[in-house]
mmCIF file of all heavy atoms in Angstrom:
data_model
loop_
_atom_site.group_PDB
_atom_site.id
_atom_site.type_symbol
_atom_site.label_atom_id
_atom_site.label_comp_id
_atom_site.label_asym_id
_atom_site.label_seq_id
_atom_site.Cartn_x
_atom_site.Cartn_y
_atom_site.Cartn_z
ATOM 1 N N THR A 1 -28.969 13.651 49.026
ATOM 2 C CA THR A 1 -29.693 13.469 47.686
ATOM 3 C C THR A 1 -30.374 12.265 47.764
ATOM 4 O O THR A 1 -30.855 11.734 46.628
ATOM 5 C CB THR A 1 -28.587 13.381 46.568
ATOM 6 O OG1 THR A 1 -27.694 12.337 46.988
ATOM 7 C CG2 THR A 1 -27.772 14.624 46.508
ATOM 8 N N SER A 2 -30.809 11.708 48.904
ATOM 9 C CA SER A 2 -31.389 10.348 48.883
ATOM 10 C C SER A 2 -32.833 10.279 48.203
ATOM 11 O O SER A 2 -33.280 9.351 47.829
ATOM 12 C CB SER A 2 -31.501 9.838 50.313
ATOM 13 O OG SER A 2 -32.199 10.656 51.149
ATOM 14 N N SER A 3 -33.332 11.446 48.173
ATOM 15 C CA SER A 3 -34.686 11.482 47.552
ATOM 16 C C SER A 3 -34.764 11.941 46.218
ATOM 17 O O SER A 3 -35.866 12.107 45.584
ATOM 18 C CB SER A 3 -35.667 12.458 48.460
ATOM 19 O OG SER A 3 -35.125 13.773 48.468
ATOM 20 N N ARG A 4 -33.591 12.171 45.527
ATOM 21 C CA ARG A 4 -33.512 12.662 44.195
ATOM 22 C C ARG A 4 -34.025 11.588 43.261
ATOM 23 O O ARG A 4 -33.762 10.330 43.474
ATOM 24 C CB ARG A 4 -32.135 13.070 43.806
ATOM 25 C CG ARG A 4 -31.831 14.383 44.540
ATOM 26 C CD ARG A 4 -30.480 14.872 43.939
ATOM 27 N NE ARG A 4 -29.916 15.927 44.649
ATOM 28 C CZ ARG A 4 -30.277 17.319 44.490
ATOM 29 N NH1 ARG A 4 -31.185 17.523 43.508
ATOM 30 N NH2 ARG A 4 -29.784 18.252 45.165
ATOM 31 N N LEU A 5 -34.671 11.935 42.251
ATOM 32 C CA LEU A 5 -34.962 11.005 41.152
ATOM 33 C C LEU A 5 -34.040 10.921 40.000
ATOM 34 O O LEU A 5 -33.240 11.911 39.942
ATOM 35 C CB LEU A 5 -36.560 11.401 40.593
ATOM 36 C CG LEU A 5 -37.621 11.462 41.620
ATOM 37 C CD1 LEU A 5 -38.835 11.936 40.855
ATOM 38 C CD2 LEU A 5 -37.783 10.036 42.143
ATOM 39 N N ARG A 6 -33.994 9.920 39.314
ATOM 40 C CA ARG A 6 -33.075 9.776 38.256
ATOM 41 C C ARG A 6 -33.194 10.861 37.204
ATOM 42 O O ARG A 6 -32.288 11.233 36.495
ATOM 43 C CB ARG A 6 -33.216 8.322 37.615
ATOM 44 C CG ARG A 6 -32.018 7.967 36.706
ATOM 45 C CD ARG A 6 -32.322 6.590 36.151
ATOM 46 N NE ARG A 6 -31.118 6.060 35.436
ATOM 47 C CZ ARG A 6 -30.149 5.487 35.957
ATOM 48 N NH1 ARG A 6 -30.127 5.327 37.257
ATOM 49 N NH2 ARG A 6 -29.188 5.040 35.266
ATOM 50 N N SER A 7 -34.474 11.356 36.973
ATOM 51 C CA SER A 7 -34.702 12.283 35.984
ATOM 52 C C SER A 7 -34.366 13.772 36.411
ATOM 53 O O SER A 7 -34.344 14.627 35.654
ATOM 54 C CB SER A 7 -36.183 12.320 35.566
ATOM 55 O OG SER A 7 -36.999 12.589 36.679
ATOM 56 N N ASP A 8 -33.972 13.895 37.678
ATOM 57 C CA ASP A 8 -33.628 15.192 38.177
ATOM 58 C C ASP A 8 -32.200 15.604 37.694
ATOM 59 O O ASP A 8 -31.222 15.063 38.234
ATOM 60 C CB ASP A 8 -33.578 15.223 39.766
ATOM 61 C CG ASP A 8 -33.316 16.539 40.384
ATOM 62 O OD1 ASP A 8 -33.339 17.616 39.615
ATOM 63 O OD2 ASP A 8 -33.080 16.515 41.520
ATOM 64 N N ARG A 9 -32.067 16.441 36.705
ATOM 65 C CA ARG A 9 -30.783 16.868 36.273
ATOM 66 C C ARG A 9 -30.884 18.236 35.676
ATOM 67 O O ARG A 9 -31.991 18.701 35.364
ATOM 68 C CB ARG A 9 -30.275 15.970 35.156
ATOM 69 C CG ARG A 9 -31.235 15.828 33.955
ATOM 70 C CD ARG A 9 -30.897 14.570 33.049
ATOM 71 N NE ARG A 9 -31.681 14.649 31.829
ATOM 72 C CZ ARG A 9 -31.589 13.753 30.875
ATOM 73 N NH1 ARG A 9 -30.956 12.659 31.221
ATOM 74 N NH2 ARG A 9 -32.385 13.798 29.868
ATOM 75 N N SER A 10 -29.778 18.848 35.513
ATOM 76 C CA SER A 10 -29.804 20.327 34.917
ATOM 77 C C SER A 10 -28.735 20.348 33.982
ATOM 78 O O SER A 10 -27.665 19.578 33.973
ATOM 79 C CB SER A 10 -29.551 21.342 36.073
ATOM 80 O OG SER A 10 -28.322 21.085 36.701
ATOM 81 N N THR A 11 -28.800 21.169 32.889
ATOM 82 C CA THR A 11 -27.911 21.291 31.833
ATOM 83 C C THR A 11 -27.496 22.744 31.723
ATOM 84 O O THR A 11 -28.311 23.604 31.803
ATOM 85 C CB THR A 11 -28.552 20.740 30.511
ATOM 86 O OG1 THR A 11 -28.997 19.411 30.679
ATOM 87 C CG2 THR A 11 -27.596 20.891 29.432
ATOM 88 N N ARG A 12 -26.225 22.952 31.292
ATOM 89 C CA ARG A 12 -25.649 24.254 31.145
ATOM 90 C C ARG A 12 -25.022 24.201 29.683
ATOM 91 O O ARG A 12 -24.115 23.301 29.528
ATOM 92 C CB ARG A 12 -24.603 24.698 32.149
ATOM 93 C CG ARG A 12 -23.864 25.982 31.815
ATOM 94 C CD ARG A 12 -22.886 26.326 32.965
ATOM 95 N NE ARG A 12 -22.120 27.497 32.674
ATOM 96 C CZ ARG A 12 -21.051 27.539 32.101
ATOM 97 N NH1 ARG A 12 -20.431 26.407 31.648
ATOM 98 N NH2 ARG A 12 -20.358 28.683 31.891
ATOM 99 N N LEU A 13 -25.402 25.023 28.869
ATOM 100 C CA LEU A 13 -24.779 25.030 27.470
ATOM 101 C C LEU A 13 -23.882 26.318 27.272
ATOM 102 O O LEU A 13 -24.371 27.431 27.572
ATOM 103 C CB LEU A 13 -25.851 25.089 26.379
ATOM 104 C CG LEU A 13 -26.886 23.925 26.319
ATOM 105 C CD1 LEU A 13 -27.812 24.061 25.236
ATOM 106 C CD2 LEU A 13 -26.089 22.590 26.057
ATOM 107 N N ASP A 14 -22.706 26.139 26.898
ATOM 108 C CA ASP A 14 -21.788 27.299 26.696
ATOM 109 C C ASP A 14 -21.512 27.320 25.158
ATOM 110 O O ASP A 14 -20.662 26.550 24.722
ATOM 111 C CB ASP A 14 -20.459 27.069 27.498
ATOM 112 C CG ASP A 14 -19.589 28.262 27.554
ATOM 113 O OD1 ASP A 14 -19.592 29.026 26.457
ATOM 114 O OD2 ASP A 14 -18.757 28.537 28.476
ATOM 115 N N ARG A 15 -22.200 28.280 24.574
ATOM 116 C CA ARG A 15 -22.042 28.315 23.054
ATOM 117 C C ARG A 15 -20.690 28.860 22.767
ATOM 118 O O ARG A 15 -20.166 28.656 21.650
ATOM 119 C CB ARG A 15 -23.052 29.222 22.545
ATOM 120 C CG ARG A 15 -24.446 28.789 22.770
ATOM 121 C CD ARG A 15 -24.818 27.462 22.144
ATOM 122 N NE ARG A 15 -26.222 27.092 22.340
ATOM 123 C CZ ARG A 15 -26.704 25.838 21.874
ATOM 124 N NH1 ARG A 15 -25.941 25.101 21.219
ATOM 125 N NH2 ARG A 15 -27.973 25.578 22.111
ATOM 126 N N ASN A 16 -20.042 29.684 23.595
ATOM 127 C CA ASN A 16 -18.733 30.159 23.230
ATOM 128 C C ASN A 16 -17.621 29.074 23.194
ATOM 129 O O ASN A 16 -16.805 29.047 22.283
ATOM 130 C CB ASN A 16 -18.254 31.216 24.248
ATOM 131 C CG ASN A 16 -19.115 32.415 24.220
ATOM 132 O OD1 ASN A 16 -19.527 32.811 23.095
ATOM 133 N ND2 ASN A 16 -19.408 33.131 25.359
ATOM 134 N N THR A 17 -17.594 28.101 24.118
ATOM 135 C CA THR A 17 -16.686 27.001 24.118
ATOM 136 C C THR A 17 -17.211 25.772 23.478
ATOM 137 O O THR A 17 -16.494 24.854 23.186
ATOM 138 C CB THR A 17 -16.293 26.676 25.612
ATOM 139 O OG1 THR A 17 -17.445 26.242 26.267
ATOM 140 C CG2 THR A 17 -15.601 27.932 26.255
ATOM 141 N N GLY A 18 -18.587 25.643 23.143
ATOM 142 C CA GLY A 18 -19.160 24.486 22.597
ATOM 143 C C GLY A 18 -19.183 23.323 23.495
ATOM 144 O O GLY A 18 -19.082 22.140 23.152
ATOM 145 N N VAL A 19 -19.592 23.578 24.789
ATOM 146 C CA VAL A 19 -19.596 22.570 25.787
ATOM 147 C C VAL A 19 -20.936 22.447 26.468
ATOM 148 O O VAL A 19 -21.524 23.488 26.801
ATOM 149 C CB VAL A 19 -18.537 22.797 26.878
ATOM 150 C CG1 VAL A 19 -18.622 21.750 28.123
ATOM 151 C CG2 VAL A 19 -17.076 22.710 26.159
ATOM 152 N N GLU A 20 -21.510 21.258 26.683
ATOM 153 C CA GLU A 20 -22.643 21.083 27.409
ATOM 154 C C GLU A 20 -22.211 20.341 28.755
ATOM 155 O O GLU A 20 -21.525 19.379 28.676
ATOM 156 C CB GLU A 20 -23.516 19.965 26.674
ATOM 157 C CG GLU A 20 -24.708 19.647 27.516
ATOM 158 C CD GLU A 20 -25.540 18.477 26.882
ATOM 159 O OE1 GLU A 20 -25.269 17.330 27.285
ATOM 160 O OE2 GLU A 20 -26.456 18.723 26.238
ATOM 161 N N GLU A 21 -22.656 21.065 29.892
ATOM 162 C CA GLU A 21 -22.422 20.487 31.152
ATOM 163 C C GLU A 21 -23.807 19.955 31.688
ATOM 164 O O GLU A 21 -24.763 20.661 31.655
ATOM 165 C CB GLU A 21 -22.028 21.508 32.234
ATOM 166 C CG GLU A 21 -20.550 22.142 31.815
ATOM 167 C CD GLU A 21 -20.149 23.103 32.781
ATOM 168 O OE1 GLU A 21 -20.680 23.075 34.049
ATOM 169 O OE2 GLU A 21 -19.299 24.020 32.452
ATOM 170 N N ARG A 22 -23.836 18.687 32.178
ATOM 171 C CA ARG A 22 -25.113 18.086 32.641
ATOM 172 C C ARG A 22 -24.787 17.406 34.022
ATOM 173 O O ARG A 22 -23.952 16.624 34.301
ATOM 174 C CB ARG A 22 -25.461 17.058 31.702
ATOM 175 C CG ARG A 22 -26.779 16.426 32.100
ATOM 176 C CD ARG A 22 -27.442 15.623 30.982
ATOM 177 N NE ARG A 22 -27.990 16.461 29.929
ATOM 178 C CZ ARG A 22 -28.547 15.954 28.836
ATOM 179 N NH1 ARG A 22 -28.702 14.702 28.660
ATOM 180 N NH2 ARG A 22 -28.905 16.769 27.970
ATOM 181 N N VAL A 23 -25.660 17.791 34.917
ATOM 182 C CA VAL A 23 -25.613 17.042 36.272
ATOM 183 C C VAL A 23 -26.376 15.792 36.010
ATOM 184 O O VAL A 23 -27.554 15.664 35.608
ATOM 185 C CB VAL A 23 -26.332 17.905 37.347
ATOM 186 C CG1 VAL A 23 -26.432 17.154 38.651
ATOM 187 C CG2 VAL A 23 -25.475 19.165 37.694
ATOM 188 N N ARG A 24 -25.850 14.680 36.573
ATOM 189 C CA ARG A 24 -26.503 13.356 36.451
ATOM 190 C C ARG A 24 -26.447 12.552 37.821
ATOM 191 O O ARG A 24 -25.586 12.848 38.641
ATOM 192 C CB ARG A 24 -25.814 12.519 35.486
ATOM 193 C CG ARG A 24 -25.721 13.141 34.068
ATOM 194 C CD ARG A 24 -24.680 12.280 33.223
ATOM 195 N NE ARG A 24 -24.619 12.899 31.855
ATOM 196 C CZ ARG A 24 -25.321 12.452 30.701
ATOM 197 N NH1 ARG A 24 -26.195 11.396 30.917
ATOM 198 N NH2 ARG A 24 -25.221 12.982 29.535
ATOM 199 N N PHE A 25 -27.359 11.690 38.005
ATOM 200 C CA PHE A 25 -27.315 10.784 39.102
ATOM 201 C C PHE A 25 -27.421 9.345 38.556
ATOM 202 O O PHE A 25 -28.366 9.001 37.979
ATOM 203 C CB PHE A 25 -28.474 11.054 40.091
ATOM 204 C CG PHE A 25 -28.352 12.347 40.736
ATOM 205 C CD1 PHE A 25 -28.908 13.456 40.211
ATOM 206 C CD2 PHE A 25 -27.580 12.539 42.016
ATOM 207 C CE1 PHE A 25 -28.781 14.724 40.898
ATOM 208 C CE2 PHE A 25 -27.517 13.658 42.679
ATOM 209 C CZ PHE A 25 -28.207 14.755 42.075
ATOM 210 N N VAL A 26 -26.278 8.641 38.697
ATOM 211 C CA VAL A 26 -26.207 7.265 38.160
ATOM 212 C C VAL A 26 -26.158 6.158 39.037
ATOM 213 O O VAL A 26 -25.836 6.448 40.283
ATOM 214 C CB VAL A 26 -24.952 7.141 37.230
ATOM 215 C CG1 VAL A 26 -24.945 8.275 36.125
ATOM 216 C CG2 VAL A 26 -23.699 7.263 38.059
ATOM 217 N N GLY A 27 -26.526 4.990 38.786
ATOM 218 C CA GLY A 27 -26.577 3.884 39.630
ATOM 219 C C GLY A 27 -27.961 3.536 40.137
ATOM 220 O O GLY A 27 -29.011 4.231 39.764
ATOM 221 N N PRO A 28 -28.155 2.618 40.913
ATOM 222 C CA PRO A 28 -29.449 2.168 41.429
ATOM 223 C C PRO A 28 -30.129 3.197 42.413
ATOM 224 O O PRO A 28 -29.413 3.873 43.187
ATOM 225 C CB PRO A 28 -29.196 0.846 42.122
ATOM 226 C CG PRO A 28 -27.729 0.967 42.554
ATOM 227 C CD PRO A 28 -27.036 1.701 41.487
ATOM 228 N N GLY A 29 -31.329 3.250 42.559
ATOM 229 C CA GLY A 29 -32.093 4.074 43.478
ATOM 230 C C GLY A 29 -31.559 3.857 44.930
ATOM 231 O O GLY A 29 -31.404 2.773 45.345
ATOM 232 N N GLY A 30 -31.422 5.040 45.574
ATOM 233 C CA GLY A 30 -30.900 4.997 46.893
ATOM 234 C C GLY A 30 -29.396 4.929 46.890
ATOM 235 O O GLY A 30 -28.923 5.100 48.115
ATOM 236 N N GLN A 31 -28.781 4.635 45.888
ATOM 237 C CA GLN A 31 -27.336 4.640 45.903
ATOM 238 C C GLN A 31 -26.852 5.437 44.632
ATOM 239 O O GLN A 31 -25.775 5.050 44.097
ATOM 240 C CB GLN A 31 -26.891 3.170 45.626
ATOM 241 C CG GLN A 31 -27.126 2.280 46.868
ATOM 242 C CD GLN A 31 -26.279 2.636 48.056
ATOM 243 O OE1 GLN A 31 -25.073 2.890 47.982
ATOM 244 N NE2 GLN A 31 -26.990 2.740 49.218
ATOM 245 N N TYR A 32 -27.438 6.485 44.381
ATOM 246 C CA TYR A 32 -26.983 7.268 43.279
ATOM 247 C C TYR A 32 -25.684 7.970 43.428
ATOM 248 O O TYR A 32 -25.303 8.375 44.577
ATOM 249 C CB TYR A 32 -28.104 8.494 43.062
ATOM 250 C CG TYR A 32 -29.300 8.024 42.457
ATOM 251 C CD1 TYR A 32 -30.512 8.693 42.959
ATOM 252 C CD2 TYR A 32 -29.468 7.012 41.513
ATOM 253 C CE1 TYR A 32 -31.795 8.305 42.392
ATOM 254 C CE2 TYR A 32 -30.704 6.652 40.970
ATOM 255 C CZ TYR A 32 -31.818 7.321 41.390
ATOM 256 O OH TYR A 32 -33.022 6.974 40.914
ATOM 257 N N VAL A 33 -24.870 7.903 42.453
ATOM 258 C CA VAL A 33 -23.623 8.645 42.380
ATOM 259 C C VAL A 33 -23.800 9.941 41.604
ATOM 260 O O VAL A 33 -24.296 9.962 40.496
ATOM 261 C CB VAL A 33 -22.510 7.833 41.650
ATOM 262 C CG1 VAL A 33 -21.173 8.618 41.469
ATOM 263 C CG2 VAL A 33 -22.322 6.512 42.388
ATOM 264 N N PHE A 34 -23.439 11.071 42.316
ATOM 265 C CA PHE A 34 -23.581 12.307 41.648
ATOM 266 C C PHE A 34 -22.499 12.513 40.679
ATOM 267 O O PHE A 34 -21.301 12.298 41.080
ATOM 268 C CB PHE A 34 -23.594 13.450 42.753
ATOM 269 C CG PHE A 34 -23.377 14.864 42.186
ATOM 270 C CD1 PHE A 34 -24.527 15.602 41.735
ATOM 271 C CD2 PHE A 34 -22.131 15.447 42.063
ATOM 272 C CE1 PHE A 34 -24.335 16.952 41.385
ATOM 273 C CE2 PHE A 34 -22.078 16.803 41.663
ATOM 274 C CZ PHE A 34 -23.067 17.436 41.258
ATOM 275 N N ALA A 35 -22.775 12.939 39.418
ATOM 276 C CA ALA A 35 -21.784 13.202 38.501
ATOM 277 C C ALA A 35 -22.087 14.440 37.687
ATOM 278 O O ALA A 35 -23.216 14.748 37.483
ATOM 279 C CB ALA A 35 -21.563 11.966 37.585
ATOM 280 N N VAL A 36 -21.089 15.030 37.041
ATOM 281 C CA VAL A 36 -21.246 16.161 36.130
ATOM 282 C C VAL A 36 -20.460 15.733 34.823
ATOM 283 O O VAL A 36 -19.277 15.492 34.884
ATOM 284 C CB VAL A 36 -20.853 17.541 36.657
ATOM 285 C CG1 VAL A 36 -21.050 18.542 35.621
ATOM 286 C CG2 VAL A 36 -21.444 17.793 37.972
ATOM 287 N N SER A 37 -21.242 15.655 33.698
ATOM 288 C CA SER A 37 -20.535 15.344 32.435
ATOM 289 C C SER A 37 -20.393 16.664 31.703
ATOM 290 O O SER A 37 -21.077 17.589 31.746
ATOM 291 C CB SER A 37 -21.461 14.389 31.642
ATOM 292 O OG SER A 37 -22.667 14.991 31.310
ATOM 293 N N TYR A 38 -19.230 16.711 30.933
ATOM 294 C CA TYR A 38 -18.862 17.750 30.111
ATOM 295 C C TYR A 38 -18.674 17.235 28.691
ATOM 296 O O TYR A 38 -17.722 16.378 28.445
ATOM 297 C CB TYR A 38 -17.519 18.374 30.604
ATOM 298 C CG TYR A 38 -17.698 18.933 31.992
ATOM 299 C CD1 TYR A 38 -17.577 18.109 33.116
ATOM 300 C CD2 TYR A 38 -17.726 20.242 32.246
ATOM 301 C CE1 TYR A 38 -17.709 18.547 34.406
ATOM 302 C CE2 TYR A 38 -17.859 20.777 33.511
ATOM 303 C CZ TYR A 38 -17.783 19.847 34.622
ATOM 304 O OH TYR A 38 -17.892 20.392 35.916
ATOM 305 N N THR A 39 -19.488 17.635 27.715
ATOM 306 C CA THR A 39 -19.585 16.993 26.451
ATOM 307 C C THR A 39 -19.310 18.025 25.312
ATOM 308 O O THR A 39 -20.084 19.050 25.341
ATOM 309 C CB THR A 39 -20.864 16.207 26.118
ATOM 310 O OG1 THR A 39 -21.015 15.311 27.272
ATOM 311 C CG2 THR A 39 -20.794 15.383 24.851
#
């Protein structure tokens, strides 16, 4: 993922459960931590 940009993310909405899943890359460039948030 070294070439990924901070804005590169995807979102999944589950209307049945009321949950948003979002792929995120946090931290400084070149040291991004891959994370998935469930909100």
Side-chain angles (χ1 to χ4, degrees):
T1 61
S2 59
S3 63
R4 291 190 185 272
L5 300 177
R6 193 180 189 84
S7 60
D8 181 14
R9 63 191 184 189
S10 60
T11 301
R12 173 181 179 269
L13 300 179
D14 189 330
R15 299 296 181 184
N16 292 325
T17 61
V19 173
E20 176 191 88
E21 296 182 25
R22 176 172 294 182
V23 172
R24 301 168 181 264
F25 293 91
V26 304
Q31 292 294 314
Y32 288 144
V33 176
F34 170 85
V36 183
S37 63
Y38 301 77
T39 308

